[in-house]
Amino acid sequence: MVEENMRRKLIVGNWKMHGSTDQISQLLEEIESGSEQLLEDIEICVCPTYLHLGLAFDLLASKSGAGRGQIKLGAQNVHVEPAGAFTGEVSAQMLAEYGVSYVIVGHSERRQFFAESDQFIAEKFRAAQACRLTPILCVGESLDQRQDNETERVVLNQLDAVIAAAGIAAMKEAVIAYEPVWAIGTGETATPAQAQQVHRTLREHLDRLDSVIAKAIRIIYGGSVNAANAKELFSQPDVDGGLVGGASLEAEEFISICKSTD
Ligand code: PEP
C-alpha cells in the first residue's frame, strides 16, 4: 500500500495543433494573469506547437519577476536523435534551448496516427531525459480493451516498456499521464473512482520496484477534464493533476481547472 504524500499538483495544457500567433499570445497572457496566485502551490505547464514555442518562451520571459513561480513550457513531441537528416523533426537539445521543461511522449494520438511503438516511445523518453527535459509518459487503454478488462495489463505494459529501456531510476525525473483513449476529446471522462483505480495500480506497480519513486512520482489524469469535473478527479489520493486538451484552449476554463487543485 502506497502512502499519500505531498506531491505538487501539475496541470498541463496540451494545445495540440491549434492557434495562430495572435491566439497563442492572448491565451498565454490570460493564463499568466489568471494564474499568478496559483503558481505558489501548483505547477502549470502549457504545450504549444513547435512553431509557437519561441513566441511562448519570449512572452513568459518578458513577464516573469524575480522569485515568482513561472508557467512552464512543454513540447508535444521530440525526436530520438540529437541531430541529423530527419526532415521535419526537432531534437531534445533544440527544445531545451527554447526553455522547454516537459515533453509529452506516448500520447495516444501519436501512437494511433503516427504508429509510434512502445519501444520508440521509450527512446523518446530517454532522449528527452538526456537533455534534462522531463518526459510526461502517456499510457491508456482503448474502449475495447477496457470492456475486455484489459486496462491494467495495457497500462502496465506501456509503463514497463519504458522502464525496461530506461531503468526504474529514470522514473524519478518523469511524470505519468493516465489517459484512457476513449476519454480523449470525446467529452466522456473516467469517473474519479475509475481514474483512482488505475492511478493506484500504476503507483503500486512502481512501489514494487522502488518505493521512494512510487511515492514521489506525479501521475496526472487526462481525458475530457473540464472545470466541472476537475475538482473531484484531482481530489483522488493518487491523482496529482491533469493533462488537459480541449479545455486548455480557453483561458477562463483552464484557470478554473487549475484552481480545482486545492
Ligand atoms: C489530451 O489531448 O491529452 C486530452 C486529454 O485531450 P482532452 O482534454 O480534449 O480530452
Side-chain angles (χ1 to χ4, degrees):
M1 176 71 202
V2 178
E3 293 159 38
E4 202 180 336
N5 118 335
M6 295 303 290
R7 294 177 291 270
R8 193 165 184 227
K9 289 267 197 293
L10 169 67
I11 310 294
V12 181
N14 177 9
W15 292 347
K16 308 196 185 187
M17 199 173 70
H18 291 292
S20 62
T21 51
D22 282 351
Q23 287 165 338
I24 295 296
S25 306
Q26 192 182 337
L27 181 57
L28 196 49
E29 295 257 358
E30 288 174 8
I31 292 175
E32 261 250 315
S33 56
S35 64
E36 229 171 301
Q37 309 302 325
L38 301 173
L39 290 167
E40 311 257 312
D41 302 315
I42 66 169
E43 214 179 337
I44 299 175
C45 170
V46 294
C47 305
T49 69
Y50 281 151
L51 202 57
H52 295 120
L53 277 171
L55 170 69
F57 176 63
D58 289 343
L59 278 172
L60 290 173
S62 71
K63 291 281 165 50
S64 62
R68 214 178 82 194
Q70 215 192 329
I71 291 177
K72 303 269 172 57
L73 266 186
Q76 299 174 22
N77 192 19
V78 64
H79 190 59
V80 298
E81 297 294 338
F86 301 100
T87 303
E89 294 295 328
V90 172
S91 74
Q93 182 62 49
M94 293 167 183
L95 295 175
E97 250 193 276
Y98 276 85
V100 167
S101 306
Y102 289 96
V103 180
I104 299 172
V105 298
H107 193 283
S108 65
E109 287 155 14
R110 295 214 58 91
R111 292 180 191 264
Q112 187 184 343
F113 303 133
F114 300 93
E116 291 191 4
S117 66
D118 281 343
Q119 285 64 37
F120 192 52
I121 290 159
E123 282 184 57
K124 289 185 175 207
F125 182 102
R126 295 184 70 189
Q129 284 194 333
C131 290
R132 296 183 187 279
L133 307 179
T134 302
I136 300 173
L137 171 66
C138 300
V139 298
E141 81 288 4
S142 67
L143 186 56
D144 283 351
Q145 289 166 332
R146 174 161 281 269
Q147 286 168 344
D148 291 344
N149 290 320
E150 294 274 326
T151 299
E152 190 167 313
R153 183 189 65 77
V154 170
V155 299
L156 294 184
N157 278 351
Q158 290 170 338
L159 174 58
D160 279 343
V162 170
I163 294 174
I168 181 64
M171 299 311 293
K172 197 169 164 209
E173 302 298 335
V175 171
I176 298 173
Y178 168 54
E179 295 214 300
V181 180
W182 48 272
I184 296 178
T186 60
E188 264 200 64
T189 318
T191 64
Q194 284 172 325
Q196 167 58 22
Q197 192 181 341
V198 179
H199 284 230
R200 172 166 299 186
T201 296
L202 289 162
R203 203 179 300 284
E204 285 180 345
H205 185 66
L206 291 168
D207 189 50
R208 287 188 282 275
L209 302 171
D210 188 312
S211 63
V212 175
I213 288 175
K215 283 189 188 72
I217 194 169
R218 289 176 296 180
I219 307 178
I220 60 177
Y221 168 81
S224 298
V225 173
N226 59 40
N229 60 31
K231 196 165 185 76
E232 220 192 320
L233 283 162
F234 299 164
S235 67
Q236 301 303 306
D238 288 293
V239 177
D240 304 312
L243 178 50
V244 187
S248 67
L249 291 165
E250 221 271 287
E252 209 178 309
E253 180 87 2
F254 186 63
I255 291 161
S256 164
I257 291 169
C258 293
K259 286 182 178 160
S260 305
T261 46
D262 52 16

